[in-house]
Amino acid sequence: MTYCVAVKLNAGLVFLSDSRTNAGLDQISTFRKMIVYEKPGERFMCLLSAGNLSISQSIREILQVEQVQDHESGDPITIWNARSMFDATRVLGAAVRHVYERDGESLQRAGVDFNVSMIFGGQIKGEGMRLFQVYSAGNFIEATAETPFFQVGESKYGKPVLDRVITPATPLDEAAKCVLVSMDSTLKSNLSVGLPLDLAVYEVDQLQSDKITCIDENNPYFRMVHNTWGQKLREVFDSIEHPTWDGSHTEVPLICDSARNQPLKKISNSKEKLI
């Protein structure tokens, strides 16, 4: 399992991925899930992948040379000459289907699902930034102002903080901090996600990025985030009043009359009916 997250903001894009791959309790390995495609001044694209490692590696390899026919010009479209991120994502979808057509049947015979999920985003000169989530069938959806982030892999533990913090207006550094907190929450709750992490931050209209780093267990900033987040969560939890059951004075009673709902009915013998 893995965890990858990407955020689209007015100020830019943030990508984060872990690197743990496991094929059983005693077969845990490190493989990077992020790859950056960049021609400075022309295009910046970042791909995150989750799912079956052999499938995602094949897709990444084929993506380098995959082509989609352009019915307007007649020339084939690749990720290197696509005029829009939409067209570049069409090429990625074609690469997914290419691998499925090649390996899907043999994987099925071996009892292996064709399981892959990808996030692909960036900016090509002449248009704005775009962010897509690509599914196993090669189809995809695009991030919007209402849904400015995508997650693939083990997403549930890191989603609450993203829901509460991320909006299109979120500053870039604040979003980078937020995705690291999201990752830390996932690392805390799921052993199938692990360090090191890859983080890439892209500023709008730059068409290149030097804000790319690898984060391991010795990274001082991530250690600070881990320790501070855990400490502050405990402090906030401790500041919330306990529920009262004995009629003690409180401004926030737990037991109170409700015109609509009554307390749960107790069943005291086998002859009583639930309804």
Side-chain angles (χ1 to χ4, degrees):
M1 186 57 76
T2 191
Y3 176 47
C4 301
V5 56
V7 181
K8 179 176 177 284
L9 311 161
N10 297 335
L13 297 160
V14 179
F15 303 88
L16 180 67
S17 63
D18 86 315
S19 60
R20 177 163 292 178
T21 297
N22 63 299
L25 294 176
D26 57 350
Q27 296 186 38
I28 298 174
S29 304
T30 297
F31 289 91
R32 284 181 154 167
K33 315 296 176 59
M34 178 187 295
I35 185 167
V36 172
Y37 306 91
E38 180 183 279
K39 282 187 177 180
E42 181 187 314
R43 65 192 61 218
F44 172 91
M45 299 174 291
C46 185
L47 176 66
L48 308 177
S49 59
N52 185 288
L53 180 62
S54 66
I55 294 172
S56 60
Q57 285 189 337
S58 293
I59 292 169
R60 287 163 54 167
E61 185 73 20
I62 289 173
L63 182 59
Q64 296 271 46
V65 295
E66 184 69 26
Q67 299 179 349
V68 171
Q69 192 62 38
D70 186 351
H71 298 294
E72 293 183 6
S73 68
D75 296 326
I77 302 171
T78 71
I79 61 168
W80 301 109
N81 67 9
R83 294 186 294 272
S84 70
M85 279 301 303
F86 181 85
D87 281 345
T89 309
R90 286 176 56 208
V91 178
L92 175 57
V96 173
R97 289 187 290 272
H98 186 152
V99 175
Y100 178 79
E101 291 167 1
R102 188 192 70 184
D103 299 338
E105 187 176 339
S106 59
L107 287 170
Q108 187 176 19
R109 286 197 301 269
V112 178
D113 292 332
F114 190 86
N115 175 30
V116 67
S117 298
M118 296 184 153
I119 300 174
F120 189 46
Q123 186 174 17
I124 294 174
K125 187 175 182 179
E127 71 161 9
M129 299 175 300
R130 302 177 78 171
L131 182 67
F132 299 87
Q133 182 171 348
V134 183
Y135 300 100
S136 295
N139 58 323
F140 50 87
I141 59 174
E142 184 171 5
T144 65
E146 294 76 23
T147 308
F149 65 86
F150 286 135
Q151 301 167 280
V152 294
E154 191 56 78
S155 60
K156 56 183 176 290
Y157 302 106
K159 190 172 187 294
V161 67
L162 298 171
D163 286 333
R164 291 179 180 274
V165 172
I166 296 297
T167 71
T170 302
L172 207 52
D173 287 341
E174 185 174 313
K177 177 174 65 176
C178 184
V179 299
L180 287 170
V181 169
S182 173
M183 179 64 76
D184 179 68
S185 299
T186 306
L187 291 170
K188 180 69 174 177
S189 299
N190 194 304
L191 292 175
S192 70
V193 178
L195 298 167
L197 314 175
D198 286 305
L199 174 68
V201 177
Y202 171 77
E203 296 181 44
V204 62
D205 296 332
Q206 292 303 298
L207 300 173
Q208 63 181 31
S209 176
D210 57 3
K211 295 181 177 180
I212 299 174
T213 188
C214 181
I215 298 169
D216 61 19
E217 63 276 5
N218 298 314
N219 185 277
Y221 183 82
F222 190 68
R223 284 207 314 269
M224 179 275 294
V225 167
H226 171 78
N227 293 333
T228 303
W229 183 243
Q231 175 189 342
K232 296 299 183 182
L233 274 180
R234 185 71 221 192
E235 291 175 5
V236 170
F237 178 80
D238 290 341
S239 71
I240 298 173
E241 183 179 322
H242 298 324
T244 59
W245 300 95
D246 57 3
S248 302
H249 174 72
T250 177
E251 295 181 358
V252 285
L254 177 63
I255 300 177
C256 54
D257 294 332
S258 171
R260 182 172 180 179
N261 297 297
Q262 298 301 314
L264 183 71
K265 180 183 177 181
K266 296 180 180 179
I267 302 299
S268 59
N269 62 71
S270 60
K271 295 181 180 180
E272 291 192 52
K273 303 297 182 181
L274 295 176
I275 299 176

